[in-house]
Amino acid sequence: MSKIIIVGGVAGGATAAARLRRLDEHAEIIMFERGEHVSFANCGLPYHIGGAVAGRGDLLLQTPESFRRRFRVDVRPRSEVLSIDRAARTVTVKDRQTGETYCEAYDKLLLSPGGAPIRPPMEGIDSRRVFTLRNVADMDRVKAFITETRPRGAAVAGGGYIGIEMAENLKLAGLDVSIIEMSDQVLAPLDFDMACDVHRHLWRKGIALYLNNGLRKITEHSGGLSLELQNGALEADMLILAVGVRPESRLAKEAGLELNRLGGIVVDKHMRSSDPDIYAVGDAVEITDPVTGQAAMVPLAGPANKQARVAADNIRGIASEYAGTQGSAVVKVFDMTAASTGINEKNARRLGLEYDKVFLWLPGHAGYYPGAKSMSMKVIFERGSGRILGAQIVGFDGVDKRCDLLAVAVRAGMTAHDLTQWELCYAPPYSSAKDPVNMAGYAIENVLTGKVKNFHWHEADALPRDGGVTLLDVREPYEFAQGSMEGFVNVPLDSLRERMGELDKSRPVYLHCHSGMRSYIAARILTQHGFDAYNLSGGYRLYSAVRGGVGVKQLKTAPPGKSGGTAAAAAGKPSGAIKNKNI
């Protein structure tokens, strides 16, 4: 009978333990968990704080007792593994209740230590008003503080997934909330142009944004916290630290296992570490990005579960391989949804890939059916082949299912042509006869086959305004009156053919409309009449979302010109030239 020790529960460890028991009824399985809870929904913690998940017990998936009854796993909570002796194949364990220290032997060892919230070495970081959110105990502390002290304002340091979720749920709990983010945007997996819609939505929901503005110092006083930023300061009653996670790889390091430069445990495709008897899964392991073939660290619950299954299979002698993590993720931002998969443009550019991109603005279901709202899509593809490399979508209904479809396309190495051929479910309440994913395929095909030449929002301001090119806005006059780009002349699409004689064929023509659809039609008309026409992908809507910016609430303690103004300015982005903007 083999003996398997698992260090850490939750997504990785608990999943591996259950899989191992299903594969081997006779193995001795011991699971050590430093905390009190061995299997809980850590992704649901913010939603209990905000009240969406009313019952605390709803987050507890398995207790030590229920796990023992169902899986016959020896679950030992409040037990911390202090060290690994690889030569003797033993671990040293401390019982955190009794203080007793003892050794336990293993045949195979699986590490699932997870990732710990980063706590920067900063003055005031240990204040009782400063919180992180990793486990149920952390959630309970936040919940108790809100209940007992009734704070009015909270700051969240970090605009990643946890930071956004905590900002939303603290707001729903009745607090005034600010997000402090060192970068020029929230949600790093998105590109800046896609994050701008999220910035605007957060602002509309009453969240103050401090972008390009890191936290430097925390001072606790009788009334709360004074937070010194790189630019300015603000007051808050409590602070949530959500600036990222680091792999909990101390055990692996001290045992001499191979780590990467970030401290991630290096494993092979079988989830086996540099020691053939030790496996590792979850947030602490290095993975391979299947799109680029590059090593990466991606702390997500879905991959952790899959890795745990692969590790359990291989421990029991079943050949199983982990195919890598492409980083598919989705986040709720009040009633908005933001999702991404594969690589973004930042990484494509950094890696020197031959890529291109298209932007689309399409409704989640048939526009005539009540409740239709449009989503902003950005799809990254490989030049030449049209292979889908990544996608980002921000919007409302249907965002998650479209990003899931594109995630499959990325994983399967599919091309834009494949997207055009997909037969997807259609009824007016759910989609359009040409689904947004089909439309993305059509848009990319048009680029690849030369039917359209695109230009992008970040190129628009650099276009010459000296008459060397023709700049046309093909929207309706009422749209043009609400806001326009400098130098663009309004010629509505439906009058373009009649006014074509006014245009100089020797000059390139740059066109835009609201979303890029009407200007695409205009570009096709002009191209077939001998013009060199270019279409603004994503249209004026995208340009104005990025260049026009969005107000950032200015707190009383913020010095003038530092934290106020627009999100674009705070992010170090030029505001562009938009006349009479009404966005």
Side-chain angles (χ1 to χ4, degrees):
M1 181 175 69
S2 62
K3 182 176 180 180
I4 305 160
I5 286 179
I6 299 172
V7 180
V10 198
T15 297
R19 175 68 172 172
L20 284 163
R21 178 56 74 217
R22 291 195 297 271
L23 295 175
D24 188 342
E25 180 66 17
H26 305 292
E28 181 182 1
I29 305 171
I30 303 173
M31 182 163 61
F32 295 110
E33 169 56 49
R34 182 171 52 190
E36 177 183 357
H37 304 285
V38 296
S39 180
F40 61 91
N42 51 354
C43 295
L45 300 178
Y47 299 102
H48 180 59
I49 293 170
V53 178
R56 177 181 181 275
D58 294 339
L59 300 174
L60 305 179
L61 307 180
Q62 291 279 356
T63 65
E65 293 73 26
S66 67
F67 216 92
R68 288 190 190 102
R69 285 195 303 269
R70 178 157 298 177
F71 297 107
R72 293 298 187 265
V73 172
D74 182 358
V75 180
R76 303 182 191 180
R78 303 186 186 89
S79 296
E80 182 177 5
V81 175
L82 301 176
S83 62
I84 303 167
D85 186 333
R86 291 168 53 192
R89 290 204 294 188
T90 62
V91 295
T92 300
V93 185
K94 180 179 181 179
D95 187 320
R96 301 182 73 182
Q97 290 179 289
T98 65
E100 174 193 0
T101 299
Y102 61 95
C103 286
E104 197 75 56
Y106 65 83
D107 293 310
K108 299 291 182 183
L109 176 64
L110 187 144
L111 302 178
S112 179
I118 294 173
R119 296 180 66 90
M122 178 185 303
E123 184 176 341
I125 199 75
D126 295 322
S127 166
R128 66 184 182 90
R129 294 175 177 268
V130 176
F131 303 88
T132 57
L133 188 66
R134 182 191 185 189
N135 52 38
V136 175
D138 291 341
M139 177 191 74
D140 289 341
R141 281 190 286 271
V142 174
K143 190 84 169 171
F145 183 85
I146 293 173
T147 301
E148 294 166 8
T149 68
R150 299 190 180 281
R152 291 175 298 175
V156 178
Y161 297 120
I162 295 174
I164 295 296
E165 291 168 351
M166 281 303 300
E168 173 186 343
N169 283 283
L170 289 169
K171 185 70 177 178
L172 294 177
L175 283 74
D176 293 326
V177 182
S178 303
I179 294 176
I180 304 163
E181 172 53 56
M182 186 177 295
S183 175
D184 61 0
Q185 65 168 88
V186 300
L187 299 175
L190 301 181
D191 289 314
F192 178 81
D193 41 32
M194 297 299 288
C196 285
D197 281 339
V198 181
H199 296 164
R200 180 185 304 206
H201 196 66
L202 287 168
W203 175 67
R204 286 174 173 166
K205 294 296 183 179
I207 305 296
L209 298 176
Y210 287 77
L211 303 176
N212 258 347
N213 208 353
L215 180 64
R216 296 181 61 181
K217 180 181 175 182
I218 304 165
T219 302
E220 183 175 357
H221 51 78
S222 59
L225 298 173
S226 293
L227 305 177
E228 180 182 322
L229 310 182
Q230 290 173 333
N231 293 301
L234 62 92
E235 296 290 312
D237 297 311
M238 61 186 298
L239 171 68
I240 305 294
L241 283 177
V243 295
V245 298
R246 57 170 178 80
E248 283 265 46
S249 54
R250 178 192 62 82
L251 271 177
K253 180 179 180 180
E254 293 178 355
L257 299 181
E258 183 183 356
L259 305 181
N260 66 14
R261 63 180 180 83
L262 298 176
I265 304 170
V266 176
V267 294
D268 64 14
K269 59 187 177 182
H270 306 294
M271 305 311 300
R272 188 166 43 219
S273 75
S274 54
D275 184 317
D277 293 320
I278 302 178
Y279 294 73
V281 301
D283 295 355
V285 304
E286 176 185 88
I287 56 85
T288 299
D289 184 326
V291 181
T292 67
Q294 302 283 317
M297 301 285 294
V298 183
L300 293 171
N305 277 277
K306 296 173 181 65
Q307 293 160 13
R309 183 181 178 93
V310 169
D313 284 354
N314 284 287
I315 287 172
R316 296 314 308 147
I318 299 172
S320 184
E321 297 182 1
Y322 185 64
T325 304
Q326 67 194 56
S328 300
V330 64
V331 63
K332 178 178 179 291
V333 189
F334 294 93
D335 54 337
M336 175 179 270
T337 302
S340 64
T341 188
I343 63 171
N344 56 29
E345 186 175 6
K346 289 175 287 193
N347 285 331
R349 188 186 304 116
R350 177 179 59 83
L351 294 170
L353 301 182
E354 288 293 319
Y355 77 94
D356 205 343
K357 61 194 175 188
V358 292
F359 296 93
L360 301 98
W361 175 248
L362 297 166
H365 61 256
Y368 59 82
Y369 188 85
K373 293 183 178 181
S374 289
M375 63 182 75
S376 182
M377 301 176 65
K378 179 177 185 177
V379 184
I380 311 294
F381 62 96
E382 187 175 63
R383 282 201 183 105
S385 71
R387 180 169 69 99
I388 307 302
L389 301 177
Q392 302 157 51
I393 310 179
V394 177
F396 298 89
D397 72 300
V399 166
D400 54 338
K401 74 174 181 178
R402 273 46 181 253
C403 200
D404 282 340
L405 287 167
L406 289 164
V408 173
V410 169
R411 179 55 64 115
M414 292 182 175
T415 68
H417 179 70
D418 293 316
L419 302 188
T420 69
Q421 298 298 308
W422 282 358
E423 182 182 344
L424 304 174
C425 297
Y426 162 62
Y430 302 103
S431 183
S432 300
K434 291 185 288 189
D435 188 86
V437 174
N438 298 136
M439 293 296 290
Y442 295 140
I444 296 170
E445 264 198 347
N446 285 337
V447 173
L448 294 173
T449 57
K451 292 183 179 65
V452 68
K453 291 187 284 188
N454 284 339
F455 71 107
H456 297 288
W457 63 266
H458 51 83
E459 300 168 318
D461 290 342
L463 293 173
R465 264 66 175 182
D466 59 2
V469 299
T470 300
L471 306 176
L472 294 185
D473 181 334
V474 299
R475 296 176 298 161
E476 292 300 307
Y478 77 90
E479 296 174 276
F480 185 79
Q482 291 178 344
S484 63
M485 285 192 283
E486 183 180 0
F488 278 74
V489 176
N490 185 216
V491 178
L493 171 62
D494 291 341
S495 62
L496 178 61
R497 289 184 179 90
E498 288 72 25
R499 298 182 60 182
M500 203 179 300
E502 303 172 24
L503 306 180
D504 185 346
K505 281 190 179 181
S506 69
R507 298 174 180 176
V509 182
Y510 289 83
L511 305 120
H512 82 80
C513 65
H514 180 71
S515 68
M517 177 57 74
R518 283 172 289 173
S519 50
Y520 158 66
I521 296 170
R524 289 299 302 149
I525 292 170
L526 292 177
T527 297
Q528 293 178 80
H529 283 272
F531 289 86
D532 184 18
Y534 297 80
N535 178 42
L536 178 60
S537 184
Y540 180 78
R541 191 216 70 86
L542 176 64
Y543 175 90
S544 61
V546 180
R547 294 303 203 198
V550 59
V552 177
K553 285 194 170 183
Q554 182 177 0
L555 301 189
K556 292 180 181 179
T557 51
K562 293 295 185 180
S563 298
T566 67
K573 304 290 182 182
S575 61
I578 301 179
K579 294 182 178 179
N580 306 317
K581 65 185 179 189
N582 180 18
I583 59 172

